[in-house]
Amino acid sequence: MCGIFGYIGRNGSVNLLLEGLKRLEYRGYDSAGIAFLNSTRLSLYKTRGKISDLEDLLPSTERQINIGIAHTRWATHGVPSTENAHPHAVDGIAVVHNGIIENFRQLRQKLLSVGCSFSSETDTEVVPHLIALNLKKGLSMEEAIRAAISELQGSFALGILSERTPDTLYAVRNGSPLVIGVDGDNYFFASDIPAVLPYTKHFLILEDGDFCKLNCRGVEIYNLYEKRLVEPGHRMTVIDIPASQAEKCGYEHFMLKEIFEQPGAVMNTLGEWMDDPLSILDELHLSIRDMIDIERVQIVACGTSYYAGLVGRYIIETLARIPVDIDIASEYRYRNPIIKKKTLFISITQSGETADTLAAQREAKSRNAHVLTICNVVGSTAAREADSVIYTRAGPEIGVASTKSFTTQLAALSVFAIAVGMKRGILSREEFDSLKRHLMKVPEAMEKVLRLDGWIKEISGNFINARDFLFLGRGINYPIAMEGALKLKEISYIHAEGYPAGEMKHGPIALVEDGVPVVFVCPVDALFVKTLSNIEEVRARGGRVIAVTDDPECLRDKAEIVMTVPSIHSLLSPFVTVIPLQLLAYHIAVLRGHNVDQPRNLAKSVTVE
Ligand code: AGP
């Protein structure tokens, strides 16, 4: 959570810092601040609220600067307030931080005992104090930073600016993401790549323990603890994503743009492997024997990625006949999991930086599992730490509510299942080819569902005052019911529950009364008839039925609203059934006046446990 951005070079401006910060705002948005050097004097502006509030404070955004740092915050320690906003400055040293300094209470006590006074409640403020204290002891700036960091426990990415060294910016990565962008004499650091994409395609992806000095002579990367100079050459990566992918491109919100990008994103993801789906297995770096011998798959993920995993379980078990366990990452590592030798561990994460997922992945690695991650962000921590990576090709996802990352995860899981099923001899060549053809038709089917957008916008108005929503589905569409409920609650703040339809009579049916909207995700499949009975049970209690189905005629007299999706292979139906639910949540939230890209209390990358 939190976004940090820094610049040093010859063509900077306050506006450049603000623009960088705006592209990171999805990571946190309860307060913001910037610091830059005005000749050698530190100028500091910060405020509670959004970056637009910060902009109002600044004397001139056109103002030229050569060096500056910026921060957008998701509060962990201390309420959202101007005092707690970053940068935190002490004696001309300004610091921006993403992560948590776990031992800050002890450090704060120690600093208080030697006469330091604090102006915030944050964990971060101990950092500039420690550096300032070290400088007073006669250490150089670099030594002072190293000594300060050696006292910190926890995860952090730090950007540091000092009046003492006006030609140098410092950046440290230890557990929280940080990249360096290089454009000739201009250098940037940022929490993610899209923040810097308008300026350069050349990136250095930092690793934990990296300590960087950025100045007009270039970038020097040292290992924090061994003080060894790291050769940056082999770390240099060219990221060729058009900067427009991280812009709204005429859409009112990133979320809507990303919903509409799904057919293309799924096609890109499938396109990697569809000529030869078996080639996805090359990414695993497992021998054919090891692949055939897999006895169990363990999937771990959070939020929407967890629901993609639940769908993946159905697909892998059906097509590859391997038993699949799935856990929510924050629960997995604390239950002393059993990992046998022939278990394949799969983490699913859009960002590759979710703290709970990373911790679970590390737990599995420490128990000698082969770790595969299905991830969207190239060079992310999950991708670097895993034994193998299958990348989704969704492009940058900026809206806090996950949409295209979900359907591209489904695409990766489907190709994986088909390929493993074929390799293990579960699928015949005919079945394999037929599934491949069905998969290739998915993007076109998704396009058709998107045509419902205008109509879904209209009918959404009928539900904006609902207090509760129920989402029900069976089989492979039960996770879609859960995802529909998550989308609605996180952006509209309407209470919503997702349940397996067959479980309704064991409790949730008590919520159904006159006027309660109940969404049934019910494409025609082996369980369709059973779901029809559940629909009758809801109608009998006055519920307002919304049905997502490929058999509108059958539902016409049973549902108040019928959202028709194309008929596709039943194992692939989640690709199309999820889209009306994303659109419904989006339009209800917009009509209720919410900022759908930045819902309250949330952040895109959850980098704290
Ligand atoms: C859902 O809309 C949220 N964005 C959230 O549940 C998200 O899926 C979760 O935090 C996991 O993120 P990840 O895929 O980046 O690991």
Side-chain angles (χ1 to χ4, degrees):
M1 346 275 279
C2 303
I4 69 176
F5 187 87
Y7 169 80
I8 182 163
R10 301 190 198 282
N11 309 318
S13 64
V14 168
N15 198 39
L16 179 142
L17 291 179
L18 287 172
E19 290 301 317
L21 215 49
K22 281 180 192 162
R23 281 185 290 275
L24 290 168
E25 198 170 22
Y26 73 95
R27 300 177 68 93
Y29 30 82
D30 59 43
S31 49
I34 65 171
F36 54 85
L37 290 183
N38 186 359
S39 116
T40 56
R41 302 290 298 165
L42 187 73
S43 295
L44 180 66
Y45 297 89
K46 49 192 204 168
T47 183
R48 181 180 202 275
K50 294 190 187 291
I51 295 163
S52 50
D53 300 312
L54 177 67
E55 228 167 334
D56 295 342
L57 277 184
L58 294 165
S60 159
T61 55
E62 295 313 316
R63 182 200 178 103
Q64 292 296 304
I65 56 159
N66 297 327
I67 183 167
I69 56 178
H71 189 274
T72 181
R73 179 169 187 250
W74 187 87
T76 57
H77 295 73
V79 296
S81 67
T82 300
E83 294 72 33
N84 290 335
H86 299 214
H88 291 285
V90 174
D91 291 350
I93 303 154
V95 173
V96 286
H97 166 216
N98 173 26
I100 290 182
I101 295 164
E102 287 165 359
N103 60 335
F104 86 99
R105 283 196 182 77
Q106 297 93 300
L107 292 171
R108 197 176 163 110
Q109 275 313 317
K110 183 179 120 177
L111 289 161
L112 285 169
S113 71
V114 295
C116 297
S117 61
F118 283 79
S119 46
S120 79
E121 304 157 279
T122 64
D123 51 342
T124 309
E125 201 185 343
V126 298
V127 182
H129 274 295
L130 286 169
I131 298 172
L133 217 56
N134 293 334
L135 286 171
K136 281 184 193 142
K137 290 178 191 160
L139 299 187
S140 69
M141 188 65 194
E142 191 177 325
E143 289 164 342
I145 295 173
R146 281 181 189 281
I149 287 164
S150 70
E151 296 199 53
L152 307 181
Q153 290 166 12
S155 68
F156 43 86
L158 298 168
I160 302 161
L161 172 67
S162 168
E163 288 178 351
R164 298 225 188 176
T165 51
D167 60 349
T168 306
L169 202 56
Y170 302 89
V172 180
R173 172 181 173 143
N174 189 57
S176 298
L178 197 62
V179 298
I180 306 283
V182 179
D183 169 38
D185 289 347
N186 297 299
Y187 300 93
F188 306 81
F189 69 70
S191 298
D192 68 23
I193 288 170
V196 191
L197 269 181
Y199 313 109
T200 184
K201 293 178 169 157
H202 300 278
F203 288 91
L204 286 158
I205 315 284
L206 298 186
E207 293 179 4
D208 286 343
D210 281 346
F211 171 63
C212 302
K213 281 166 66 180
L214 312 175
N215 56 39
C216 58
R217 293 178 295 285
V219 185
E220 289 171 22
I221 306 179
Y222 295 86
N223 181 285
L224 251 181
Y225 308 106
E226 296 164 18
K227 298 194 183 168
R228 175 168 53 78
L229 189 62
V230 175
E231 174 46 61
H234 74 282
R235 302 261 195 96
M236 193 59 90
T237 314
V238 176
I239 306 279
D240 215 355
I241 306 173
S244 63
Q245 281 203 13
E247 311 282 341
K248 283 192 207 152
C249 299
Y251 284 91
E252 201 183 335
H253 297 100
F254 279 110
M255 181 180 174
L256 189 61
K257 173 179 175 247
E258 288 158 6
I259 290 173
F260 272 84
E261 282 175 341
Q262 289 181 105
V266 166
M267 187 49 110
N268 283 344
T269 305
L270 293 175
E272 276 295 295
W273 305 294
M274 284 324 269
D275 280 346
D276 174 16
L278 294 180
S279 65
I280 197 172
L281 301 178
D282 299 343
E283 322 274 346
L284 262 67
H285 310 301
L286 281 178
S287 69
I288 304 287
R289 186 72 259 154
D290 285 345
M291 188 106 53
I292 290 169
D293 283 352
I294 294 170
E295 284 179 353
R296 194 157 214 95
V297 168
Q298 169 69 60
I299 298 179
V300 162
C302 300
T304 292
S305 297
Y306 171 73
Y307 299 139
L310 282 175
V311 175
R313 173 164 72 181
Y314 275 88
I315 303 177
I316 296 169
E317 290 193 338
T318 308
L319 301 181
R321 300 307 295 151
I322 307 176
V324 180
D325 289 322
I326 173 155
D327 275 78
I328 287 176
S330 54
E331 290 295 319
Y332 176 76
R333 66 185 288 230
Y334 295 109
R335 67 171 175 81
N336 195 10
I338 299 164
I339 302 176
K340 297 225 172 114
K341 198 159 169 262
K342 292 177 181 172
T343 298
L344 173 67
F345 179 96
I346 305 180
S347 65
I348 306 177
T349 168
Q350 186 282 131
S351 61
E353 303 295 347
T354 300
D356 290 320
T357 306
L358 291 176
Q361 186 175 303
R362 287 174 189 144
E363 181 70 33
K365 253 199 127 171
S366 75
R367 295 173 186 234
N368 299 321
H370 182 94
V371 171
L372 162 69
T373 187
I374 296 178
C375 182
N376 192 42
V377 177
V378 176
S380 60
T381 307
R384 283 187 292 103
E385 292 186 3
D387 296 305
S388 35
V389 188
I390 293 176
Y391 280 114
T392 50
R393 307 279 164 184
E397 189 179 68
I398 310 290
V400 165
S402 306
T403 52
K404 62 178 177 170
S405 63
F406 178 73
T407 39
T408 53
Q409 287 163 351
L410 298 189
L413 286 159
S414 306
V415 182
F416 171 80
I418 292 171
V420 177
M422 180 72 189
K423 256 308 179 250
R424 287 165 65 93
I426 307 295
L427 297 176
S428 66
R429 171 53 71 174
E430 293 68 44
E431 288 169 322
F432 175 81
D433 286 342
S434 156
L435 283 161
K436 192 175 141 180
R437 280 194 300 277
H438 280 294
L439 253 182
M440 287 307 284
K441 287 189 207 148
V442 162
E444 197 188 323
M446 295 172 85
E447 289 283 5
K448 285 189 186 146
V449 187
L450 287 169
R451 290 183 207 143
L452 298 178
D453 179 51
W455 171 72
I456 292 179
K457 183 176 177 179
E458 272 172 38
I459 59 112
S460 294
N462 300 335
F463 298 98
I464 54 171
N465 295 320
R467 200 190 56 189
D468 304 295
F469 253 81
L470 261 180
F471 288 77
L472 302 171
R474 280 175 180 262
I476 201 164
N477 277 293
Y478 145 53
I480 300 305
M482 310 272 280
E483 172 61 3
L486 174 61
K487 284 289 90 84
L488 186 71
K489 67 185 132 190
E490 74 178 322
I491 58 172
S492 76
Y493 318 145
I494 294 174
H495 168 245
E497 303 248 13
Y499 260 90
E503 184 69 5
M504 182 182 68
K505 55 192 172 293
H506 299 287
I509 198 165
L511 292 174
V512 181
E513 58 183 350
D514 252 355
V516 171
V518 183
V519 180
F520 280 90
V521 190
C522 52
V524 179
D525 57 15
L527 300 166
F528 184 62
V529 180
K530 297 201 182 298
T531 310
L532 292 182
S533 307
N534 300 136
I535 290 177
E536 293 301 348
E537 289 153 17
V538 166
R539 273 158 50 87
R541 287 157 182 85
R544 298 172 72 183
V545 175
I546 302 169
V548 178
T549 184
D550 54 349
D551 187 349
E553 285 320 310
C554 182
L555 271 300
R556 196 72 69 207
D557 59 347
K558 296 184 174 55
E560 175 181 333
I561 305 282
V562 180
M563 297 179 171
T564 307
V565 296
S567 291
I568 59 172
H569 191 293
S570 60
L571 275 182
L572 306 177
S573 61
F575 282 98
V576 290
T577 53
V578 75
I579 294 177
L581 307 190
Q582 295 168 341
L583 289 169
L584 183 70
Y586 171 79
H587 288 299
I588 290 179
V590 171
L591 289 170
R592 284 167 66 96
H594 298 315
N595 181 345
V596 294
D597 284 336
Q598 297 174 348
R600 70 183 179 205
N601 303 338
L602 290 171
K604 182 70 179 162
S605 280
V606 186
T607 55
V608 293
E609 269 197 68

